Amino acid sequence: MPRAAQLTLEQPLFTGGRATAGIARARADMAAAEAGGEAVQGQVVTAVVQAYGDMLAADEVLRLYRALAAQMTEIERQARERFRAGETPSTDVAQAASRAAEARADLARAEGMQVSARARYRNLTGLEPVDLQPIPPNPPLPASLEDAMATALGASPALRRAQADVEAAEAGARAARGERRPTVSAFVEAGSVRDQFFPDYRADSATVGIRGRWTLFSGGLASGRIAETAADVRAALARLRAARMGLEEQVLSAWQDIHTADLVAQASDEQSAAAGQALTSVRHEVRVGLKPQIDLLNAEREATAAAAAAAQARTARIVAAYRLRVLIGSA
């Protein structure tokens, strides 16, 4: 039976810049994808830190309000006994009962907060909240706002992604302009033919040469593609400028949040300590009759609220620190 075979090899020599532009665009897309992955990773880190801190704060708040509810219940019981003995008016009983009910409501809210915080932590990490350690000090941070800004402008995943998008758009524009240029390639073609009716017949051929192509008229397709990619470049540059301005604003805000959170945490700890000391004094004064019972109820509530606020302030402090680290690309 007749047989025929043909082999063609072609190597581009000049593509008008389309090949190099395609490679550059692929690399830029890879860089954008990597930066996007780092940005998502940073968001996850911040979310986990927030969830961990919320969980610790919820546990502490629950402990505080359990103690407050128990204390208010005991104060109510003592008020009822003194009322039955004729030592106090019914007003003290009503006030104690009101604060006891308020403490039970706060306890219910604290229990709900703990359930939600633990569920959030499990959802993010897949781990059970056991053997929890206290919130650590802040991670290493830039020494100044200027250092933080400089680090962010050089390493921020969001900014690097926007820059990679610009490079990809510019590579696409170069490829579009290259469509107007000719292409040149070297080729080798080899063929072999055999015929069953003529056993001695052979038709072998080999050709080596250079081939060129040039599209002289594309009906506006090339011009439209060039205009489209030029618009893509302008849009990418606009997104880069917006990303830079947004990053500067976010870094400034995060830097201020860190210092604010530190001051709030310190003030909350001082307030909690002062409220605890005041509670101890009020207990003694109520016991000896120097102050009415309502002062003790208020002191108990204020001390518990101050301690709860201090626990939540510690979470805000660590979250603010990690938020800045994510923004500057150091998470």
Side-chain angles (χ1 to χ4, degrees), residues 215-290:
T215 302
L216 299 178
F217 178 72
S218 62
L221 179 62
S223 299
R225 179 63 180 158
I226 291 173
E228 179 184 3
T229 54
D232 291 341
V233 171
R234 291 193 296 272
L237 288 171
R239 290 193 296 269
L240 176 60
R241 289 192 295 270
R244 183 184 296 273
M245 290 187 292
L247 177 64
E248 291 174 351
E249 178 183 353
Q250 291 172 358
V251 169
L252 178 59
S253 175
W255 182 264
Q256 185 60 46
D257 287 346
I258 288 174
H259 291 280
T260 300
D262 284 340
L263 293 175
V264 170
Q266 180 180 355
S268 297
D269 288 339
E270 294 173 356
Q271 181 184 10
S272 179
Q277 293 175 358
L279 174 60
T280 301
S281 299
V282 170
R283 282 174 178 169
H284 292 307
E285 292 171 351
V286 170
R287 186 177 299 113
V288 297
L290 295 178

Side-chain angles (χ1 to χ4, degrees), residues 32-299:
E34 290 175 359
E38 291 179 15
V40 172
Q41 181 180 358
Q43 293 171 2
V44 172
V45 169
T46 304
V48 170
V49 172
Q50 177 78 64
Y52 189 86
D54 287 345
M55 188 169 52
L56 289 181
D59 289 349
E60 178 66 12
V61 169
L62 180 60
R63 183 190 67 78
L64 291 169
Y65 279 104
R66 277 176 177 167
L68 179 63
Q71 185 67 22
M72 289 298 182
T73 300
E74 176 61 20
I75 292 175
E76 180 187 9
R77 185 190 66 79
Q78 294 176 4
R80 292 185 185 279
E81 289 182 355
R82 289 196 297 270
F83 173 72
R84 284 193 291 269
E87 297 178 0
T88 59
S90 60
T91 303
D92 287 355
V93 176
Q95 289 173 340
S98 173
R99 293 301 171 81
E102 181 184 39
R104 289 193 295 271
D106 290 336
L107 176 59
R109 283 190 288 268
E111 290 172 344
M113 288 173 54
Q114 186 196 48
V115 171
S116 298
R118 288 176 171 259
R120 176 65 174 166
Y121 177 79
R122 281 193 295 266
N123 181 49
L124 286 172
T125 66
L127 302 174
E128 288 297 323
V130 295
D131 192 24
L132 301 179
Q133 301 300 313
I135 291 179
N138 285 346
L141 296 172
S144 65
L145 175 59
E146 290 74 17
D147 290 343
M149 196 69 72
T151 303
L153 294 176
S156 167
L159 200 59
R160 287 192 287 113
R161 182 177 183 178
Q163 181 62 52
D165 287 341
V166 171
E167 293 173 359
E170 290 174 341
R174 290 197 300 272
R177 291 193 297 269
E179 294 178 2
R180 284 184 168 179
R181 302 189 184 103
T183 60
V184 180
S185 59
F187 69 93
V188 176
E189 294 180 350
S192 178
V193 178
R194 299 291 185 272
D195 194 304
Q196 64 178 339
F197 299 107
F198 302 95
D200 295 331
Y201 177 78
R202 294 172 179 268
D204 298 330
S205 63
T207 305
V208 178
I210 294 177
R211 180 181 293 124
R213 296 187 180 90
W214 195 348
T215 302
L216 299 178
F217 178 72
S218 62
L221 179 62
S223 299
R225 179 63 180 158
I226 291 173
E228 179 184 3
T229 54
D232 291 341
V233 171
R234 291 193 296 272
L237 288 171
R239 290 193 296 269
L240 176 60
R241 289 192 295 270
R244 183 184 296 273
M245 290 187 292
L247 177 64
E248 291 174 351
E249 178 183 353
Q250 291 172 358
V251 169
L252 178 59
S253 175
W255 182 264
Q256 185 60 46
D257 287 346
I258 288 174
H259 291 280
T260 300
D262 284 340
L263 293 175
V264 170
Q266 180 180 355
S268 297
D269 288 339
E270 294 173 356
Q271 181 184 10
S272 179
Q277 293 175 358
L279 174 60
T280 301
S281 299
V282 170
R283 282 174 178 169
H284 292 307
E285 292 171 351
V286 170
R287 186 177 299 113
V288 297
L290 295 178
K291 285 188 176 181
Q293 178 181 262
I294 187 63
D295 289 343
L296 176 59
L297 297 173
N298 290 336

